[in-house]
Amino acid sequence: MVRTLFWIWYTIGALLLIVFGIPDSLKFSNGLFLVFYGAYAMDLVSKGQVKPFMSDWSVNSSGGRMTKRFWYAAALIWLGGMAVEWVGVHSGRLFGDYNYSTILGPLLFGVPVTLGFAWIAVVCNAVLISHDFGQRGLRLLLLRAVQVGFWTVLMDLVLDPVAHARNFWHWEGGGGFYQVPWSNFGGWLIAGAALSMLLPAVPFTRLAARRGTRLYQAILILFGLISLTEGLPACAVIAGAGAALAEGSLRYAGSRSIGKV
């Protein structure tokens, strides 16, 4: 249900954002897209874990407990994401000097409430396309955090310039990459890596990784196309390179996986 709802909304949103434009009466759909993106990414993460006792998992209560842990983690990521955004907006630290408009939804202490879902979406999506390399526990958390930091920054190099051009939020002072200060990308690296450590250190199935990769690529392609309409060609190039890199990463993971479904 979540998957179908997201892809329907994605298709409609892509047509409006790229071809027709979004009328004022549908401005709320921008924030709602972030909610659906977060819900779908979290659904993939919570259902895509490799289950160690596949034959009797349906009667093993630990499966339900693990799923709850993922949703508790999602709530913490929402709070953490809103917290770092609050710090960023009110101090100018971490992401640079910026402020939000109301396009993405009502503001809570200067931050759209939908931004917490955006952090759930980006972090969970990046976790799905990160490799475990056979590690578990703290080693997996740290290894995954480095990869999540990379994938989130790669996506942000496309998202933030487009969002700035579409007046979703505004930076003061100019400079950087299409008016986005370089410190912002460092902030995304730190915040994405840190928030990913709230999720349980478990591996994911090939199916979850594949769907996560398609989701990541779809977001990059969407904003890459929008970037062309906004005169941001470097973002389109990064989007194409990021989609190709994610595909290569998926194929590499598939060549190393044994026994995952």
Side-chain angles (χ1 to χ4, degrees):
M1 177 62 181
V2 175
R3 178 187 177 193
T4 301
L5 183 60
F6 169 80
W7 287 117
I8 290 175
W9 203 259
Y10 174 91
T11 302
I12 296 172
L15 290 173
L16 290 174
L17 286 168
I18 299 170
V19 181
F20 302 109
I22 298 180
D24 290 339
S25 60
L26 293 179
K27 291 294 185 184
F28 70 91
S29 63
N30 293 298
L32 199 55
F33 176 80
L34 297 180
V35 176
F36 290 155
Y37 180 21
Y40 180 40
M42 190 61 222
D43 187 62
L44 286 176
V45 164
S46 65
K47 294 178 180 178
Q49 57 192 290
V50 172
K51 301 173 176 59
F53 307 108
M54 193 71 72
S55 61
D56 61 346
W57 193 258
S58 61
V59 296
N60 189 334
S61 61
S62 63
R65 288 198 299 270
M66 180 59 75
T67 298
K68 289 181 180 179
R69 282 184 61 192
F70 276 104
W71 287 100
Y72 292 151
L76 291 176
I77 292 173
W78 188 92
L79 290 172
M82 292 293 291
V84 296
E85 293 288 350
W86 181 85
V87 170
V89 166
H90 294 282
S91 72
R93 298 176 181 175
L94 198 61
F95 302 113
D97 189 8
Y98 69 106
N99 58 81
Y100 284 103
S101 69
T102 58
I103 291 179
L104 295 178
L107 304 181
L108 178 64
F109 302 116
V111 180
V113 295
T114 56
L115 259 291
F117 295 97
W119 277 105
I120 292 174
V122 172
V123 170
C124 288
N125 202 169
V127 163
L128 286 167
I129 60 178
S130 298
H131 303 319
D132 60 73
F133 292 103
Q135 302 298 318
R136 298 294 182 270
L138 181 59
R139 288 185 178 182
L140 174 55
L141 283 177
L142 294 175
L143 177 64
R144 193 176 64 186
V146 173
Q147 296 176 78
V148 168
F150 170 78
W151 291 117
T152 55
V153 169
L154 181 60
M155 179 179 283
D156 190 49
L157 285 165
V158 182
L159 295 187
D160 264 323
V162 170
H164 177 65
R166 288 290 176 104
N167 296 314
F168 291 173
W169 50 82
H170 313 275
W171 272 277
E172 304 296 336
F177 182 64
Y178 288 129
Q179 309 303 311
V180 180
W182 293 109
S183 61
N184 173 74
F185 304 110
W188 270 65
L189 176 69
I190 295 170
L195 292 173
S196 73
M197 297 185 73
L198 295 172
L199 291 165
V202 298
F204 296 98
T205 65
R206 286 198 297 269
L207 177 60
R210 183 165 62 252
R211 287 179 173 172
T213 301
R214 300 293 173 255
L215 177 60
Y216 185 84
Q217 291 169 325
I219 299 298
L220 282 181
I221 292 170
L222 171 60
F223 281 86
L225 291 173
I226 297 173
S227 72
L228 291 176
T229 69
E230 297 294 336
L232 309 171
C235 291
V237 172
I238 293 172
L245 188 60
E247 185 65 28
S249 179
L250 175 66
R251 292 177 182 273
Y252 172 74
S255 68
R256 298 183 74 257
S257 299
I258 299 176
K260 294 183 182 181
V261 296

